Amino acid sequence: MSAAWRASLQRFLITGPPLVYLLLFFGIPTLIMVLASLRLPGEFGGLAPLWETGPSGTELNLSLESYGRFFSDSLYAWLFFKSFLYALVTAVACLLLAYPLALLIARSPGKRRDLLVLLVILPFWSNFLIRVYAWMIILGPESVLTRTLNALLAGLGIAPVELLFTPFAVLVGLVYVHLPFMVLPLFANLEKHDPALLDAAQDLGAGAWSRFWRVTFPLSLPGVYAGTALVFIPAFGIFAIPDLLGGTQGIMIGNVIKQQFLDTRDWPFGSVLSMVLTVGALALAGLAALFGRRTRV
Amino acid sequence: MALLEIRGVSRRFGDFLAVDDVSLSIEAGEFFCLLGPSGCGKTTLLRMVAGFDAPDGGAILLDGRDVAGIPPEKRDVHTVFQSYALFPHMTVAQNIAFPLTMAGVGAEASRRRVEEALDGVSLGGMSGRYPSELSGGQRQRVAVARALVDRPKLLLLDEPLAALDAKLKERMQLELITLQKEVGITFVYVTHDQQEALALSHRIAVMNRGRVEQMDEPSRLYGSPRNRFVADFIGTCNLLEGEVAAHSRDALELRLDGIGTVRSSPVEGQVERLVPGVRGVLALRPEKVAISREAPLPGHNRTTGKVFDFLYLGDVTIYVVELDSGVRVEAMLPNSAPGRAKFFEAGDSVHVGWLPEAGVFLTD
Amino acid sequence: MRKNSLWLPLAGFLVYVFLYAPLLIVVAFSFNDSRLNSQWVGFTLEWYRVLLHHEAMLQAAGNSLLIALVASAVSTVLGTMAGFAMYRFRLRVLPLLVLAPIAIPEILTGVSLLLFFVLLGMTLGMVSIILSHIAFCLGFVAIVVRSRLAGMDESLTEAARDLGATPWCAFRRVTLPLIMPGVVAGALMAFTLSIDDFVITFFTAGVGASTLPLQIYTMVKTSVTPEVNAISSLLMLLTLVLILVASKLSPSALRSGA
Ligand SMILES: Nc1ncnc2c1ncn2[C@@H]1O[C@H](COP(=O)(O)OP(=O)(O)O)[C@@H](O)[C@H]1O
Ligand SMILES: [Mg+2]
């Protein structure tokens, strides 16, 4: 039938180009990484040849050696756990900061609301490195903040502290960069709440506190899950923030991956770490989607 | 030859039969209604006529030509969508000019015809506005004008007045009737509102669960519903359960549950089928039921009961009478009729009566 | 009427201060007449002047602009197709491929593309950067376009067909004008994402080419130089202008996109 044939041609022409592009530049690279995690490191970094011709004929050069290394050295598990903790603290801090803001925006009248949303998005659009760099200035050893703090501490007889190149600096940077990802989904959710629900709750005798905990908050859970996922997942795998703000104590799994690929050049092991990170991120995304679906109102 | 002929058309979505073997034949110039509860398949049927969907079985013939495989833009049929589907980025004039542009009508002729069309729906002067700047009724008129401007053979309207308030709806109904008479184009009008269907159309097809239950003129649908669904769906109706007691060429006797034996008019050509013992319902319109304090005139079927409740509707009052057996019957009395000035109260004992030819005995 | 308690606006205000103070500090120090980012000394335009003669920086800026233009143009076309396809057809693979690069940490896309290009034997540089940028910008455009399409009344396209338009004509005259704000917003988003990208560029640039973010990274990493403040302020100004243009074109698309 020509109509059906034309319809499938049309579908092919529209779907084909982006599909092919993404397969080529996302699908295949991902598969290559899976394969690379099973290969051996090359003599001078990179990968050893996939086929090896030895006395016993040609062999496929695959092994689980790098996975073995990952699971036998608790340092890497510890790094993952540390990254997980960083991401968790970041998500919680973002939630605490974002919730009142999102609520404020959602309850503002129309025109002001648009402006307030724009004000949240605006810093998010400025260059990521600049936003991290700003904290290098603020937390730097000579900054007003550091000097004021140390003067105060000196008054109390406590030794001066460093702010930059510490886990604290990493957390501040993580929260700062990811905050909009929490505000926006929360706002999108809170905006849809029918104000009559709160009136009804009040009418039925609920005070401000119970109105929040029994009506607003439970209804906003899908937004909370979405925001948490949007903050947690990128924070988990980040490398630029610990790289710039963290010094030696503040490194996360992303830094080790970068190091394996660019400095040590142990690609199989870098791929193993990436695989673990991917699986972790996808599991978390799946979990968030699951929670989000269960609480769909 | 009918303008639109639908022959045994079916459409299934998965396991669900949305349109089930529907056959209709619609004449040129007719105002035809598809009436049925929501979800009965009206829109699905209409979309197949317009060409947005294809039947799984059967054929649709427009002017005697099978339209299978002809895309919507090549069919001489236009649709007024329930949402109106006015293009929000075009002015009223550009919206109405759209079908003319598609047909390659020149700019000058197009402008003239758009103006005529706007005047036709009394929207002159609105041509520069955007749909968002119009009221609901105005949008509806633009949608109709746009669909009529290039004179299609057939206009399909899918619940076009559903979004309007009651007063405006009534006015638009009158306008649509006038417009249809003026342009002489065949209208196929979909609605779930039985009053609207009765008011507008020459003929109505009542649909239920994908099937056409009955197709007739409004007065005949109302007066002689063919089955229980139609009787119940069109207007209100007492449906009194019972069975045939005796049936001959000139008399039908029924034994109604909780009422007893009553007389009804014989059903033509059904003498063989309606043998004693066959069960069914007597469909009796409330306005055909009389209630009074005194015994009704001879010739009526009669019984007695107590007024259970009543519903005052202004011009009429509907009384719910509970018979001694517990069966409830509704009676509608005009408030203006002489001798009816005095209302019954709940609890009053009354006589209930109706003429043998007032009801129809339905076995489906 | 509930009385508006004061703590909500106050908390909100403090969060806005947290969001903006760091950026304002960078801008302020870009005019500070001191090599140290520690205290205000006096006003100067010196660092902007230095910037004008900073060869590596200018070169990097040119590269960034070229990359962003090409990557946003291509990803807008492909992303619009993908968004339309995801809206129109029931697909399995495409939505996954569109969403996955957005959902997983950027570093993963970066290292897998690095492996891919190196194993292909490609020299890393402008081309590998552009190809990578298209891959991750495409998804963002697709999402914006699809959400715009989803907000559109389906019967509009049908009405166009009903009134005599061929499928292509209905797309060009009705669908495309209606999703245009989404397409433009998607394009602007792709442009900003590309010009700002650090992580993926970091892995796919090799030694061949530098971009503004890479240049800034190098400068920040090695020593604090006030030119960074100046270039940062200029970049913020550019983004601000783009944002204003975008919000003029389509406030809602901007919101749904972020
Ligand atoms: N594209 C579709 N896919 C699955 N089911 C459908 C589809 N279109 C309609 N239906 C089902 O077919 C039935 C009839 O729908 P419709 O024709 O829209 O009813 P009506 O217009 O009479 O309210 C409904 O139960 C509806 O859920
Ligand atoms: Mg319908």
Side-chain angles (χ1 to χ4, degrees):
Chain A
M1 228 166 86
S2 96
W5 191 82
R6 204 177 319 141
S8 56
L9 178 74
Q10 192 190 355
R11 177 177 165 145
F12 174 78
L13 285 178
I14 296 172
T15 312
L19 187 68
V20 168
Y21 194 93
L22 287 171
L23 276 177
L24 198 58
F25 292 102
F26 181 76
I28 292 179
T30 305
L31 289 180
I32 287 180
M33 197 170 73
V34 176
L35 198 63
S37 72
L38 296 170
R39 290 172 63 174
L40 297 171
E43 244 174 286
F44 307 103
L47 301 170
L50 187 54
W51 305 97
E52 199 156 48
T53 317
S56 51
T58 303
E59 280 179 22
L60 197 56
N61 226 344
L62 293 180
S63 90
L64 286 171
E65 191 182 292
S66 296
Y67 282 95
R69 190 172 143 210
F70 173 78
F71 286 109
S72 62
D73 192 342
S74 66
L75 172 68
Y76 298 104
W78 164 242
L79 265 169
F80 265 100
F81 181 65
K82 207 171 113 185
S83 306
F84 182 89
L85 278 186
Y86 272 120
L88 191 66
V89 174
T90 304
V92 172
C94 282
L95 184 62
L96 292 179
L97 287 175
Y99 211 107
L101 184 59
L103 207 55
L104 175 73
I105 300 175
R107 291 185 182 169
S108 302
K111 246 197 148 50
R112 176 145 31 113
R113 177 190 304 196
D114 289 346
L115 179 70
L116 291 178
V117 172
L118 191 66
L119 282 178
V120 173
I121 301 175
L122 220 49
F124 159 81
W125 285 97
S126 73
N127 190 297
F128 167 78
L129 284 174
I130 297 174
R131 282 176 286 152
V132 179
Y133 165 67
W135 285 101
M136 294 179 78
I137 298 180
I138 297 174
L139 301 176
E142 291 300 313
S143 76
V144 177
L145 184 71
T146 313
R147 278 182 298 153
T148 317
L149 181 70
N150 280 330
L152 276 175
L153 290 177
L156 294 170
I158 300 174
V161 293
E162 296 245 327
L163 293 180
L164 191 57
F165 306 131
T166 61
F168 169 75
V170 175
L171 279 174
V172 172
L174 283 172
V175 171
Y176 184 65
V177 163
H178 293 107
L179 189 56
F181 292 111
M182 185 65 89
V183 179
L184 294 176
L186 270 181
F187 161 71
N189 172 288
L190 290 168
E191 183 189 34
K192 290 197 209 96
H193 291 198
D194 181 355
L197 290 177
L198 290 181
D199 290 340
Q202 190 168 24
D203 185 65
L204 298 170
W209 191 246
S210 10
R211 284 202 299 274
F212 178 77
W213 283 112
R214 286 170 184 268
V215 181
T216 307
F217 187 72
L219 284 175
S220 71
L221 279 177
V224 172
Y225 294 139
T228 305
L230 284 178
V231 170
F232 195 100
I233 294 167
F236 194 27
I238 202 131
F239 100 90
I241 291 177
D243 191 59
L244 290 173
L245 299 176
T248 42
Q249 322 156 34
I251 62 166
M252 291 171 67
I253 195 66
N255 302 74
V256 185
I257 292 178
K258 176 231 156 190
Q259 194 194 2
Q260 294 298 330
F261 274 98
L262 297 183
D263 309 332
T264 323
R265 288 186 40 84
D266 185 343
W267 289 6
F269 192 60
S271 300
V272 167
L273 296 177
S274 305
M275 290 307 301
V276 179
L277 180 57
T278 310
V279 171
L282 289 182
L284 288 167
L287 210 63
L290 200 70
F291 266 104
R293 183 147 340 130
R294 265 237 301 271
T295 50
R296 185 68 43 84
V297 188
Chain B
M1 186 182 58
L3 175 70
L4 174 67
E5 190 160 346
I6 296 173
R7 281 192 196 150
V9 162
S10 298
R11 177 77 174 100
R12 56 173 69 243
F13 297 112
D15 289 342
F16 180 74
L17 206 48
V19 172
D20 182 5
D21 191 22
V22 166
S23 294
L24 293 172
S25 158
I26 296 168
E27 302 297 327
E30 210 174 355
F31 198 129
F32 191 93
C33 251
L34 282 173
L35 171 66
S38 100
C40 72
K42 308 178 297 284
T43 299
T44 308
L45 187 59
L46 215 59
R47 288 172 61 81
M48 291 190 285
V49 175
F52 298 122
D53 201 355
D56 294 320
I60 297 171
L61 282 75
L62 194 61
D63 245 353
R65 209 158 63 96
D66 190 339
V67 293
I70 300 181
E73 66 267 23
K74 299 249 170 59
R75 299 188 183 191
D76 207 356
V77 173
H78 287 340
T79 307
V80 174
F81 291 80
Q82 182 169 353
S83 64
Y84 309 145
L86 299 179
F87 305 126
H89 58 303
M90 298 182 192
T91 61
V92 166
Q94 287 167 335
N95 261 287
I96 298 178
F98 190 88
L100 300 174
T101 316
M102 291 301 111
V105 175
E108 192 45 51
S110 169
R111 191 166 25 239
R112 209 188 58 243
R113 284 171 68 178
V114 168
E115 234 153 68
E116 280 171 18
L118 276 171
D119 287 339
V121 292
S122 17
L123 279 179
M126 295 278 177
S127 58
R129 295 224 190 155
Y130 282 91
S132 60
E133 300 163 344
L134 301 177
S135 71
Q138 289 169 334
R139 280 178 211 179
Q140 208 276 329
R141 288 190 198 139
V142 174
V144 172
R146 183 177 72 174
L148 286 178
V149 71
D150 66 337
R151 304 285 140 148
K153 287 208 182 82
L154 181 62
L155 185 68
L156 309 175
L157 304 100
D158 191 358
E159 314 227 9
L161 304 182
L164 305 181
D165 64 64
K167 266 265 174 322
L168 190 56
K169 197 164 167 170
E170 213 165 291
R171 205 173 82 212
M172 296 305 300
Q173 285 174 359
L174 287 174
E175 281 186 22
L176 279 177
I177 294 177
T178 319
L179 190 68
Q180 198 264 342
K181 268 197 204 119
E182 268 172 26
V183 297
I185 289 172
T186 312
F187 279 27
V188 175
Y189 189 103
V190 161
T191 180
H192 65 265
D193 178 345
Q194 43 103 9
Q195 277 184 344
E196 184 167 271
L198 292 175
L200 288 174
S201 27
H202 298 139
R203 281 194 308 154
I204 300 173
V206 181
M207 285 183 71
N208 183 32
R209 299 209 206 136
R211 305 188 68 98
V212 172
E213 299 278 0
Q214 187 171 357
M215 180 166 64
D216 232 321
E217 288 162 21
S219 59
R220 290 192 44 80
L221 269 183
Y222 188 82
S224 329
R226 189 187 294 160
N227 60 30
R228 194 191 292 230
F229 175 81
V230 177
D232 201 25
F233 192 73
I234 310 255
T236 47
C237 214
N238 290 298
L239 297 174
L240 305 171
E241 301 274 350
E243 60 180 42
V244 176
H247 194 192
S248 66
R249 199 165 303 280
D250 40 34
L252 171 65
E253 242 172 52
L254 305 170
R255 203 162 24 244
L256 298 181
D257 303 353
I259 295 177
T261 307
V262 301
R263 276 168 302 124
S264 184
S265 32
V267 184
E268 250 177 82
Q270 302 256 325
V271 180
E272 293 85 51
R273 212 162 64 78
L274 296 182
V275 293
V278 169
R279 288 196 65 83
V281 290
L282 179 69
L284 193 58
R285 299 280 177 201
E287 68 267 25
K288 303 241 167 113
V289 179
I291 62 173
S292 57
R293 291 190 200 288
E294 308 82 36
L297 298 174
H300 280 68
N301 291 305
R302 44 177 104 172
T303 178
T304 56
K306 276 194 169 67
V307 173
F308 177 77
D309 208 348
F310 61 89
L311 205 59
Y312 178 74
L313 295 177
D315 48 349
V316 296
T317 302
I318 293 174
Y319 295 93
V320 181
V321 179
E322 189 166 271
L323 305 182
D324 304 330
S325 60
V327 172
R328 286 183 189 165
V329 177
E330 287 183 19
M332 179 159 65
L333 305 189
N335 291 330
S336 61
R340 296 247 196 261
K342 195 161 178 228
F343 294 107
F344 300 97
E345 297 289 342
D348 286 358
S349 288
V350 289
H351 292 271
V352 179
W354 68 91
L355 290 168
E357 61 272 25
V360 194
F361 187 69
L362 306 169
T363 51
D364 290 335
Chain C
M1 191 66 204
R2 273 176 301 277
K3 58 179 192 298
N4 276 323
S5 66
L6 247 145
W7 75 267
L8 200 58
L10 184 70
F13 175 75
L14 288 178
V15 177
Y16 279 118
V17 170
F18 174 65
L19 281 175
Y20 281 90
L23 299 178
L24 293 179
I25 287 173
V26 172
V27 176
F29 278 125
S30 76
F31 298 110
N32 189 19
D33 195 3
S34 157
R35 281 209 73 84
L36 297 174
N37 286 325
S38 59
Q39 58 188 331
W40 184 256
V41 174
F43 181 86
T44 181
L45 288 176
E46 170 69 9
W47 311 122
Y48 290 91
R49 205 185 54 75
V50 171
L51 207 58
L52 279 180
H53 301 284
H54 196 305
E55 275 309 319
M57 185 74 92
L58 293 178
Q59 175 75 36
N63 286 347
S64 274
L65 199 64
L66 179 66
I67 292 166
L69 282 174
V70 177
S72 61
V74 178
S75 61
T76 300
V77 174
L78 290 176
T80 303
M81 292 168 97
F84 189 79
M86 290 194 310
Y87 168 75
R88 172 70 70 228
F89 313 115
R90 226 174 266 159
L91 303 169
R92 269 160 211 278
V93 183
L94 188 64
L96 200 70
L97 284 172
V98 161
L99 292 175
I102 298 173
I104 62 173
E106 263 188 305
I107 189 171
L108 296 172
T109 315
V111 294
S112 60
L113 279 166
L114 168 69
L115 277 177
F116 174 70
F117 289 129
V118 170
L119 290 185
L120 271 186
M122 239 176 99
T123 318
L124 298 181
M126 293 293 278
V127 176
S128 60
I129 297 176
I130 290 175
L131 290 172
S132 311
H133 281 203
I134 295 170
F136 82 85
C137 291
L138 197 164
F140 286 94
V141 179
I143 288 173
V144 179
V145 168
R146 191 187 52 173
S147 81
R148 180 90 197 172
L149 278 164
M152 204 180 97
D153 182 359
E154 172 99 36
S155 56
L156 289 173
T157 339
E158 287 186 347
R161 297 287 306 279
D162 187 74
L163 296 167
T166 59
W168 167 243
C169 190
F171 177 79
R172 201 169 49 82
R173 287 184 173 252
V174 176
T175 312
L176 193 60
L178 288 175
I179 62 168
M180 208 52 194
V183 174
V184 173
L188 284 171
M189 192 147 100
F191 184 85
T192 7
L193 283 170
S194 165
I195 211 164
D196 274 353
D197 179 73
F198 166 66
V199 178
I200 291 171
T201 317
F202 184 74
F203 288 100
T204 53
V207 288
S210 184
T211 66
L212 263 186
L214 289 186
Q215 185 66 31
I216 293 174
Y217 176 78
T218 315
M219 291 167 78
V220 166
K221 196 70 183 157
T222 49
S223 64
V224 176
T225 52
E227 297 99 294
V228 176
N229 295 333
I231 185 70
S232 299
S233 305
L234 284 180
L235 271 179
M236 278 189 253
L237 187 68
L238 174 74
T239 338
L240 197 63
V241 170
L242 279 179
I243 288 279
L244 289 179
V245 172
S247 67
K248 269 265 153 16
L249 286 171
S250 155
S252 57
L254 190 72
R255 221 160 82 179
S256 66

